[in-house]
Amino acid sequence: MSQLDLRGGLWEGESQRRMQTSKKQTATAGLNTTIPSTARVTIPDDRFYAGRVVQRSDFAPDLWMFRIRAGGDFNFVPGQFATLGLEIDGKRIERPYSIVSSPAEDEVEFFFELVPEGALTPSLHKLQVGDELLMRKVPKGKFSLDLHAGKPNHLLISTVTGVAPFVSYVRWLSQEWKEARFDGAHRLYLLNGASRPWEFGYREELAHFDKDLPWFKYVPTVSRPWDHADWPGEIGRADDILRKYADHWELEPKDTIVYLCGHPDMIEHSKAILKRRGFTEKGSVKEEVYWIPPHK
């Protein structure tokens, strides 16, 4: 199990803050920032690059994307994470963030959620195009797509920013498919949960992949639909619809690997459901926990 202490998604416990910000989101959702800024960083040693923000898109007041030019070679496997940092009040603060982009892209892309009390995201949220930040040269993580276990089906379950590594999987395989290096023998099925529709930073892109790629299926679902009467999709948390779609897609332990990424409650609930369905073999369920909840 891998644990990323980055609070990559905001969960039901933050619903009051969501309600306060939801009315504001129309002013910033989809905004592409192109005005350069001037923040610079000092590289502490040769383990780091001075990464530069080359694109920013805001999906909501507290959800945004950066594309970062590392400034040197940065070779990673889809599903890995990068460590980003800033000097804040004389102290270097670093956190790991899952990578959205595929290895073939020129920049490295990240999907962030603002955590007001967080050590790093409030400062990251202030960065604009042209600003710099620290980026460790070596990616880490083992949450990669397992194409060698003899199981052709891959069930991907995520919440909000937990979709990041799955976007990387699909972008990578899509490119491999176009260049005839992937024959479609492996099939990916993605359940993407959020509280409200505007939390899906990559819904349009993933829906496009669903339409164009015969080996990929995408189902977004919202858990708070009463604020969005026009929502046309599934209703409920990602783990609520897990049984329905596992049956619909005929996913069985003998031919399926499951990947869970995001909110720890979703991961624990999904693991319990999967265990009852027979997913007990070592390696049949992989997980990336985005933050560790406090003990109750």
Side-chain angles (χ1 to χ4, degrees):
M1 178 179 71
S2 177
Q3 296 176 333
L4 302 188
D5 183 19
L6 43 122
R7 298 288 292 274
L10 261 282
W11 324 121
E12 292 298 331
E14 299 285 347
S15 61
Q16 292 300 316
R17 185 171 65 80
R18 285 292 194 195
M19 292 177 69
Q20 293 171 0
T21 60
S22 62
K23 294 181 180 179
K24 304 176 186 177
Q25 62 88 23
T26 54
T28 57
L31 174 65
N32 286 296
T33 303
T34 57
I35 300 174
S37 185
T38 56
R40 298 290 180 264
V41 296
T42 300
I43 301 176
D45 56 58
D46 62 5
R47 296 173 298 169
F48 295 88
Y49 289 126
R52 184 182 298 272
V53 179
V54 296
Q55 182 181 344
R56 172 175 178 149
S57 294
D58 288 79
F59 306 118
D62 54 359
L63 289 167
W64 77 102
M65 173 276 281
F66 280 160
R67 288 184 67 85
I68 296 172
R69 186 165 297 140
D73 291 337
F74 187 77
N75 301 312
F76 67 93
V77 174
Q80 289 191 299
F81 60 86
T83 302
L84 306 178
L86 289 169
E87 294 284 341
I88 301 173
D89 296 328
K91 183 179 179 181
R92 187 171 74 236
I93 305 296
E94 298 178 73
R95 291 293 185 271
Y97 295 94
S98 293
I99 299 168
V100 177
S101 47
S102 79
E105 296 176 51
D106 292 334
E107 294 96 24
V108 190
E109 184 172 335
F110 301 93
F111 183 18
F112 299 98
E113 174 119 25
L114 174 64
V115 183
E117 74 279 11
L120 185 57
T121 59
S123 295
L124 290 177
H125 191 253
K126 297 175 183 178
L127 299 182
Q128 302 296 331
V129 170
D131 286 341
E132 293 181 347
L133 73 171
L134 294 173
M135 181 173 175
R136 286 189 178 260
K137 295 180 178 180
V138 179
K140 294 184 178 180
K142 299 180 179 179
F143 194 63
S144 55
L145 196 62
D146 189 348
L147 303 180
H148 305 291
K151 297 184 178 182
N153 298 323
H154 305 267
L155 176 58
L156 321 175
I157 307 175
S158 67
T159 51
V160 194
T161 55
V163 77
F166 301 152
V167 177
S168 183
Y169 291 177
V170 181
R171 285 185 183 178
W172 168 60
L173 281 181
S174 174
Q175 187 67 28
E176 297 290 291
W177 168 263
K178 291 178 181 177
E179 297 178 3
R181 291 191 296 266
F182 172 58
D183 62 4
H186 289 266
R187 296 174 292 278
L188 277 61
Y189 305 88
L190 173 54
L191 302 178
N192 186 194
S195 295
R196 295 180 173 85
W198 46 268
E199 296 174 354
F200 296 116
Y202 293 86
R203 180 160 64 103
E204 290 186 6
E205 177 180 355
L206 292 167
H208 179 77
F209 279 136
D210 180 297
K211 181 179 179 181
D212 288 353
L213 303 174
W215 43 266
F216 176 66
K217 297 298 179 185
Y218 173 61
V219 178
T221 182
V222 298
S223 60
R224 300 178 66 84
W226 48 86
D227 295 330
H228 306 276
D230 58 343
W231 171 247
E234 282 285 352
I235 294 173
R237 296 180 177 88
D239 43 298
D240 292 335
I241 66 170
L242 168 55
R243 299 177 187 85
K244 172 182 175 179
Y245 280 92
D247 289 340
H248 177 68
W249 291 323
E250 299 181 341
L251 303 178
E252 300 293 340
K254 64 182 180 181
D255 59 16
T256 304
I257 299 175
V258 184
Y259 306 74
L260 308 172
C261 189
H263 193 297
D265 287 346
M266 178 278 287
I267 289 176
E268 290 305 310
H269 294 161
S270 296
K271 285 165 62 178
I273 293 168
L274 292 163
K275 184 177 180 180
R276 291 192 293 270
R277 295 182 69 94
F279 286 84
T280 56
E281 179 184 346
K282 183 178 180 180
S284 63
V285 179
K286 302 177 68 172
E287 59 186 281
E288 192 92 295
V289 182
Y290 263 22
W291 57 280
I292 304 172
H295 294 293
K296 296 181 180 179

